């Protein structure tokens, strides 16, 4: 999934609607607590505007309340 997304970003020159796209990749190690810690870092420190990924349902359930509260698509 990551390789495909990176390929797409390369094809569009890492930009959309005239804005530069910075891709930040984190590995949640399929551990919900790790995923939540890294998500908090991405939102609060890196100030991301969009989150993608989270392939494990258990991690998704752990992240959903936090992401919803921060209104991150």
């Amino acid at each position: 999934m990551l390789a495909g997304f990176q390929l797409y970003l390369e094809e569009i020159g890492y930009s959309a609607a005239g804005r530069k796209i910075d891709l930040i990749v984190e590995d949640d190690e399929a551990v919900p607590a790790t995923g939540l810690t890294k998500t908090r870092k991405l939102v609060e420190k890196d100030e991301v505007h969009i989150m993608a990924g989270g392939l494990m349902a258990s991690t998704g359930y752990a992240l959903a309340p936090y992401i919803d509260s921060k209104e991150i698509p």
Side-chain angles (χ1 to χ4, degrees), residues 42-57:
L42 289 168
V43 171
E44 296 168 13
K45 182 180 177 208
D46 298 325
E47 299 179 353
V48 298
H49 299 282
I50 297 172
M51 299 270 309
L55 299 177
M56 301 292 295

Side-chain angles (χ1 to χ4, degrees), residues 10-63:
E10 288 172 14
E11 289 178 358
I12 64 169
Y14 279 82
S15 69
R19 297 184 71 182
K20 184 178 182 248
I21 297 172
D22 292 321
L23 178 64
I24 302 171
V25 178
E26 292 285 352
D27 182 7
D28 64 18
E29 303 166 11
V31 177
T34 302
L36 186 55
T37 299
K38 291 187 178 190
T39 297
R40 286 185 174 135
K41 177 239 176 217
L42 289 168
V43 171
E44 296 168 13
K45 182 180 177 208
D46 298 325
E47 299 179 353
V48 298
H49 299 282
I50 297 172
M51 299 270 309
L55 299 177
M56 301 292 295
S58 57
T59 302
Y61 285 127
L63 303 182

